[in-house]
Amino acid sequence: MGSASASGEFSNYSARYGAIREEDRVTLYERLMDLLDCPVGLVAANKFVPDPLASSDAADQVVGRFKYRSEAERRAALERAQQADNVIKKMAPLLLITNELLHRPVIALSNGQTRRARILSSLITGAELVVLEEPFSGIDVGTRQRLSDLFAQLHAGRRPRLVLVLREQDAIPDLVTHILKVDDQGRIISIGPRKSVSAPTSTSSQTEAKRGGHDVVLSNAQGGIGLGDTSSPALISLKSVSIQYGDKLVLDSIDLSLHPGLRLVLAGDNGSGKTTLLALLLGDHPKSFSFPASSLSLFSHARDHPSNARTLINRRLGHLSPELFNAFPRKPLAAGGLTVGEVVASGFENVFARRKYSEHQKQRVWSLLSLFSDLIKSPQGSSFTSTQGQAEDVKTVSDRAFAGLSHGSQAIVLFLRAVVSNPQVLVLDEPFQGMDRRQVERTRAFIDCPADFVVGATATEQQQDQEERKRMAIVLVSHYESEWPTTFGSLLRLSDGKVVERI
């Protein structure tokens, strides 16, 4: 259940919609059983070992490569598998993971479902101590409370003891008894019982920056802010679009138009259809090719139009999501990995590899990095400094290894990659995951206040950059309303694939 790019290679996250490769068909249940050392189904077949839960007829069909050495060995394997099955099916409902989700391919899970699956994989192993890093990221509000209650129950029963790693701006659950605080330089600044250590609460986080939220979106809409230029043709439009997987209707008659300058929050609980809708907007979903332009229009044409060939449509789109974050290659420089600057520059073509780029593009990369370089840190949380103790210049930061950055710093670099070309449409799916408070605030300010973040070597370039950024249509998904940018004036809320709220 770990990162998709653990090997450092790029992993095609868009395959989740087609499950083309055989390994993409491995279900969550099969992955969890393998974690408990009981390979079944496709995992067992891929490992060339017998499946203890297979029927006798199925076992007879693969005698030879998949044969137990004795009847006693088969019975022992069956007993272990039944015990593992009981553990999974007892714990899964507590994390709102249904039987249908258990038997869905791992790659087809939504971001929030994947987060819950990773928590489940951590809890079923029987470990005495489990460390959960940002367990509430990408999780809707109701499920966060459910998880918090579950963690409290498990921790109180000492099965297992839990250590939660949270961002400084996150609310701390009631179950926490002790707090260890680390500053931006990775130094411990306080440790002790909760009562003796100041901690943020759900009402005190985000106090240094204006909070976003539903009321802010509604107020902006009433004031004509963030609605986009409806006098211009829609960049992307959907008219009564539905998507169905088997008997499940994932999207039901969706209507949506993205006009230049639109600022749209896409809301909804985990599994409500947001991921599928974003895939249509990005042209990633295989079914996007089946719709005529009258139903799904991407830049005035159907998805299969020559002008929407992948290399061309990539130049009009910017994208950041947990799936892209996990899939992005992270090889060390010695093995051909990318530098920070090369990762940002890859956004000009929206590719996942090193590309040649012009001197003008290089200057733009440096200009963007200069606005965030003080927040780009090592995995230990410290900013990079020169041998004289001064902050590194932007060119030196640009030459650093992307793989050698902290989680939040990698998220910032991938955000800059998404915006480097000033795409016509920018899709940000949980872009703030892993970022600390200052990183979140700077990224939100960059979106909200273009005039405060000047990019360009000349006055003409700066003016052009400002105009392009103002006309960029932005779609945001974030389950933390306080982190929504404050210039968004539209909202679309989904529930079970249906639109239940529209601002």
Side-chain angles (χ1 to χ4, degrees), residues 1 81 98 110 164 188 204 221 225 231-232 332 350-351 353 357 423 473 480 502:
M1 299 302 302
T98 63
S110 71
L164 306 184
I188 296 176
S204 65
I225 299 172
S231 65
S232 297
N350 205 350
V351 294
Y357 49 105
Y480 286 87
R502 189 187 297 268

Side-chain angles (χ1 to χ4, degrees), residues 28-80:
L28 173 58
Y29 177 78
E30 292 168 339
R31 184 69 59 82
L32 294 171
M33 288 291 286
D34 187 46
L35 183 66
L36 296 177
D37 199 26
C38 296
V40 298
L42 186 57
V43 173
N46 289 340
K47 289 187 172 185
F48 299 100
V49 296
D51 180 350
L53 298 182
S55 65
S56 300
D57 291 340
D60 289 343
Q61 294 171 11
V62 288
V63 168
R65 290 183 301 173
F66 303 88
K67 188 176 181 180
Y68 287 108
R69 288 173 294 182
S70 67
E71 178 63 17
E73 184 183 49
R74 186 193 71 80
R75 289 180 178 176
L78 176 60
E79 183 177 353
R80 289 197 308 273

